[in-house]
Amino acid sequence: MITLLLALLLAVPSHAAAPTVKDAQAFMDRAEGVLETLGRRSAFASWAMATNINYSTEWLAGDADNAYSAEAAKLAHEARKYEKLKLPADLARKFLALKLTVTSPAPPDPKDQKELSDVKVWLESTYGKGKYCPTPDKCKTLDDLEDVLRSSRDPKALLDAWQGWRTISPPMRPKYQRFAELSNMGSRDLGFKDTADLWRSGYDMTPEQFSAELDRAYIQMKPLYEALHAYVRRRLIEKYGPDALDADGLIPEHLTGNMWGQSFENIYDLVAPPKSKPAFDLTERLKAAKYDELKMVKTGEAFFTSLGFEKLPATFWERSMLTRPRDREVQCHASAWDVENGQDLRIKMCIKINAEDFVTIHHELGHNFYQRAYEKQPYFFRGSANDGFHEALGDTIALSVTPEYLKTIGLIDTVPGPEGDIDLLLNKALEKIAFMPFGLIVDKWRWDVFTGKTKPEDYNKAWWALVRKYQGLKPGNERTENDFDPGAKYHIPANTPYARYFLANIYQFQFYRALCKTHGHTGPLHRCSYYGDKAAGKQLGDMMAMGSSRPWPDALEAATGERQLDATAILEYFAPLKAWLDEQNKGQTVGWKAE
Ligand code: X8Z
Ligand code: ZN
């Protein structure tokens, strides 16, 4: 009897014992293994869908997404057992990563989980297949319409393309509303207030501090954006007259050369300094030198290898999608993929031979080289220090695509002298400075949707209020709540957080400034290219190899010696342009009426 009791006592207590750090470690090892397998399945299925959208690939992608999200939510619940333990810092970091691994987490009920995965796939594929059909037999894809925005100077044609693209998104509105509800259910189930709270929890500071950091950086940038805006507005009024005039000083979005007014680089010809003759036009040079899509990507790769990075694997060239296929629907928005942990890297892009895509290729390759650099990290540390770092990497390289570099690779014959500085800086500002307010508002809009501050009946109104306030732009024609204009920007239906691009725009100048210092560059910052500099490459590569294993200020410090998001680097880069713009804007109104 006594032995039986003893045996029972010995058998029972093990599950009641408090978990130890060792248990937490064992749990995490298992979680990483399970999610790595499911993540790989989901990556293959998503690739299959993005490069061939049809009923079957949608089904596969939705199913794999559901399996990953449901398992991640289940593991995050199990993880609560270890919450009270004092865990070593890197293990604690993995527990947080587990909670953040899905940007729209699965709600507890399997029926809701499936609905969420289905709605996500529906939104993404609707965007990918989206076409503007002025007549049923004449449909235009986004790339066709972007060509119009980029090249046409006829306000009617511009407006038609601009509003035509926005005919794809009204059906998304009820789906997006449901998506936000389901995603909030999942976020709350993990202990977050809502999905906005979850999205802002991955920056080694509180969500409130994160929002304040973005606002702080934006305020640093604002005078420069306003100066650029005032100058561009005046030149557009000169060109388009009444079509560009607005009593409040807002610029009509369809005249900016970009579908969302997120970059003004395509209207450089309209706003270039009046007397100057631009030294070269990169688009024209690429075409004249007979660059094709492959050569554009090879040239990008060569920049990275010049810094000491290994060549891309042979499978990159076999499996990437570089052009729009004729025979099937695809998601053309550029992206970079790490399908099998650093081994199977790919990009997916519908490349056009122009300067904009030349930069985007460097951007995408930056993702791939980053992915390979951290492949030896454990599953939850295979990421960048924060998501802004991933977006910044390739752009940091593209900033080194200077005239000096273009001459080295034979794309131009002569390097413009210092008299070309303002042209060059203006060109870059149309890309980088014009982007800043847009980089901020996409998630400001979504955070307000997720918190409930913006009600579904005000989705469109809230969007345009932000565009007006931050970008100083206005819609091409009157918009109502029958429209759903946020849905006409990829990252909304594809559920990709956007604050990362705002961060990236600032970080890339911090990286660039630091690498130029290592390179020993003297003279104006914007003339620096570290092409071929292995020391600069190592400095960047060492940070990339850290993955997300350390808080981001540590990673930033490793590459730059700095620990803060700091707009002084971008301001320093553009300082000569700011002085020039202020001169041009003398006696003119700067700014616009926001309310
Ligand atoms: O989406 C992208 C990349 C893929 S990560 C092409 N970008 C943002 C956009 O296109 O809106 C790069 C810059 C901003
Ligand atoms: Zn990117």
Side-chain angles (χ1 to χ4, degrees), residues 128-398:
K129 292 185 287 197
K131 280 179 202 67
Y132 167 44
C133 304
T135 57
D137 58 328
K138 262 209 180 132
C139 290
K140 293 174 185 174
T141 62
L142 176 58
D143 9 331
D144 298 333
L145 299 167
E146 284 189 286
D147 278 347
V148 176
L149 267 287
R150 194 180 287 121
S151 323
S152 170
R153 300 296 176 243
D154 168 7
K156 275 206 193 65
L158 292 168
L159 182 57
D160 182 59
W162 183 92
Q163 68 81 28
W165 178 241
R166 284 162 178 73
T167 58
I168 68 143
S169 48
M172 293 178 192
R173 177 189 276 262
K175 301 273 191 186
Y176 196 80
Q177 182 184 341
R178 186 66 186 142
F179 160 77
E181 283 164 13
L182 290 163
S183 174
N184 273 342
M185 278 160 63
S187 303
R188 288 184 189 126
D189 186 50
L190 295 178
F192 295 98
K193 285 206 280 276
D194 46 48
T195 303
D197 189 33
L198 183 150
W199 282 17
R200 292 178 294 147
S201 292
Y203 298 95
D204 301 293
M205 58 178 84
T206 67
E208 294 71 27
Q209 282 168 335
F210 179 64
S211 292
E213 271 295 281
L214 296 192
D215 289 338
R216 177 182 68 80
Y218 187 65
I219 287 166
Q220 283 183 279
M221 305 287 313
K222 207 169 156 235
L224 179 52
Y225 179 68
E226 285 177 349
L228 181 70
H229 176 279
Y231 172 74
V232 167
R233 174 177 61 199
R234 188 153 51 81
R235 302 300 308 271
L236 285 177
I237 293 171
E238 278 167 28
K239 165 78 186 166
Y240 292 113
D243 283 304
L245 264 179
D246 175 79
D248 293 336
L250 303 164
I251 300 174
E253 195 169 280
H254 63 293
L255 302 181
T256 60
N258 178 279
M259 191 57 88
W260 309 275
Q262 70 181 70
S263 153
F264 306 159
E265 66 184 298
N266 295 318
I267 52 165
Y268 173 72
D269 58 321
L270 297 184
V271 304
K275 283 190 211 73
S276 80
K277 196 180 141 301
F280 62 91
D281 169 347
L282 183 53
T283 298
E284 181 270 311
R285 295 307 312 149
L286 288 164
K287 287 182 175 156
K290 304 252 173 329
Y291 271 53
D292 60 9
E293 296 81 5
L294 192 62
K295 182 141 192 218
M296 298 252 284
V297 184
K298 289 269 182 200
T299 308
E301 182 198 31
F303 202 122
F304 284 88
T305 53
S306 88
L307 298 175
F309 293 98
E310 285 293 312
K311 272 171 155 327
L312 291 163
T315 52
F316 173 91
W317 305 102
E318 291 157 20
R319 298 176 191 162
S320 288
M321 184 192 100
L322 303 183
T323 51
R324 182 189 269 279
R326 274 185 226 180
D327 57 346
R328 58 186 199 261
E329 299 284 2
V330 298
Q331 178 61 266
C332 265
H333 188 86
S335 54
W337 298 62
D338 178 8
V339 190
E340 282 224 82
N341 185 25
Q343 306 298 311
D344 186 346
L345 304 167
R346 312 174 187 181
I347 66 171
K348 175 187 65 58
M349 217 178 139
C350 301
I351 300 176
K352 301 246 168 135
I353 312 300
N354 63 42
E356 201 179 348
D357 278 7
F358 193 59
V359 169
T360 303
I361 285 167
H362 291 78
H363 175 97
E364 297 308 333
L365 293 182
H367 287 306
N368 284 151
F369 282 95
Y370 213 145
Q371 286 153 349
R372 194 166 54 186
Y374 56 60
E375 69 177 330
K376 296 218 167 54
Q377 292 286 349
Y379 180 72
F380 276 128
F381 294 160
R382 283 178 216 148
S384 51
N386 70 39
D387 56 5
F389 283 60
H390 231 301
E391 299 304 337
L393 210 281
D395 288 14
T396 301
I397 304 304

